[in-house]
Amino acid sequence: MLHSALMNVMVKAARRAGRSLKRDFGEIENLQVSLKGPANFVSLADKRAEEMLYADLAKARPGYGFIGEEGGIREGDDKTHTWIVDPLDGTTNFLHGIPQFAISIGLQREGVMIAGLIYNPANEELYMAERGKGAFMNDQRLRVAARRQLNDCVIACGLPHLGRGDFAQNQREMAALQPKVAGLRRFGAASLDLAAVAAGRFDGFWERNLSPWDLAAGVVMIREAGGVVGDIHGGDVLKTGNVVCGNEYVHGELVKILKPLG
Ligand code: IPD
Ligand code: CA
Ligand code: CA
């Protein structure tokens, strides 16, 4: 498939860092049984992938700013462009040998997301989108699902866990949504949840307290697949991290239920 020069840069960077993550993922099984466990190893894998992404993206587009989960903000001379990168989204899955994790690369121009790539090196699913040019998984054009009734819908979500999130609020959300939908799912990598909405696998997704690097690429992916994505209360989702998405109907239904809950 023919990509733009920009997407080529992103794909090349993601594939190189992806090879490194995949090698490290292969080691995890052996490390599970060691006393120390694989946690330190994973945090090294994560940092290594981010350094590779930074090196490749900075080389191809000198001057662009870079925000990465591991290394924080690196300013560039070009104040209009910023990469927003999660080198390993789905760390807990990775750590447990579950092949549901991804590299997420978003590019922002003057505050607008203009390109996104989400890549799961474990199954080679590569999602790409550019503003105005559509969304693709490998060679296949993506389109959000068309279902309009929540009772037909499979909806993905995030879940609070030890040390993270508001349990009471999540329980209110579950109580409100569970009886209304065909199924709820928690896969554990927000970028891939967003990609799955773009691909029409999930009808919708919501999660609170995400970070910009979880969302940046997925936002443009969903918009280019014809979906609606935003903050539950209508603010800037990259700032609030409280995301809700789906086609326009499912998005609207989810907002109606979630908004009154906080
Ligand atoms: C996490 C994953 C997870 C979401 C968490 C995120 P990480 O990112 O996207 O699905 O529920 O809130 O922090 O830590 O694996 O990069
Ligand atoms: Ca993440
Ligand atoms: Ca991460």
Side-chain angles (χ1 to χ4, degrees):
M1 189 188 152
L2 267 180
H3 301 305
S4 71
L6 171 67
M7 192 51 69
N8 267 331
V9 163
M10 294 165 71
V11 168
K12 255 180 105 177
R15 286 212 187 273
R16 186 165 83 97
R19 279 194 295 276
S20 166
L21 280 184
K22 201 172 167 180
R23 261 195 312 272
D24 290 338
F25 186 64
E27 292 293 319
I28 290 288
E29 222 169 19
N30 308 328
L31 290 167
Q32 298 286 7
V33 291
S34 82
L35 264 185
K36 213 169 151 200
N40 293 340
F41 178 81
V42 169
S43 102
L44 279 178
D46 210 339
K47 290 196 175 73
R48 194 160 36 230
E50 181 160 320
E51 283 319 306
M52 283 184 180
L53 292 166
Y54 177 71
D56 287 359
L57 295 173
K59 190 168 172 210
R61 292 292 183 274
Y64 283 18
F66 185 99
I67 301 174
E69 180 172 15
E70 299 307 314
I73 300 176
R74 304 187 222 203
E75 303 261 359
D77 297 336
D78 176 343
K79 302 296 176 201
T80 58
H81 290 90
T82 307
W83 299 110
I84 306 179
V85 172
D86 192 339
L88 172 55
D89 185 42
T91 323
T92 306
N93 285 341
F94 189 92
L95 184 62
H96 287 255
I98 301 167
Q100 175 77 0
F101 58 89
I103 290 168
S104 176
I105 305 173
L107 179 62
Q108 197 176 47
R109 178 191 290 152
E110 287 171 340
V112 178
M113 290 309 311
I114 59 159
L117 174 152
I118 298 164
Y119 175 47
N120 180 352
N123 65 6
E124 293 291 337
E125 286 189 346
L126 173 64
Y127 296 86
M128 298 158 281
E130 277 184 87
R131 196 157 184 252
K133 295 185 179 163
F136 297 84
M137 194 259 280
N138 298 330
D139 283 345
Q140 186 189 330
R141 180 109 194 196
L142 300 181
R143 184 82 205 152
V144 292
R147 291 183 195 86
R148 293 185 177 195
Q149 308 295 334
L150 268 194
N151 56 13
D152 294 326
C153 289
V154 171
I155 305 291
C157 62
L159 290 177
H161 51 82
L162 184 67
R164 193 191 162 101
D166 183 333
F167 294 89
Q169 183 178 48
N170 181 256
Q171 277 160 18
R172 286 195 298 275
E173 292 175 345
M174 289 297 178
L177 268 156
Q178 267 172 312
K180 294 199 172 73
V181 298
L184 283 181
R185 299 288 184 272
R186 192 325 184 214
F187 273 55
S191 61
L192 289 174
D193 292 329
L194 294 160
V197 171
R201 292 178 179 173
F202 295 144
D203 298 285
F205 166 64
W206 94 97
E207 181 164 356
R208 296 189 190 254
N209 302 313
L210 288 171
S211 299
W213 42 82
D214 300 316
L215 293 164
V219 160
V220 55
M221 201 73 60
I222 289 180
R223 291 190 181 137
E224 287 302 316
V228 180
V229 54
D231 164 68
I232 291 170
H233 289 275
D236 178 349
V237 71
L238 288 188
K239 296 212 168 89
T240 68
N242 298 325
V243 71
V244 58
C245 59
N247 66 31
E248 58 172 311
Y249 304 97
V250 172
H251 173 266
E253 289 301 306
L254 290 176
V255 167
K256 234 189 274 169
I257 295 168
L258 296 169
K259 205 169 166 178
L261 300 177

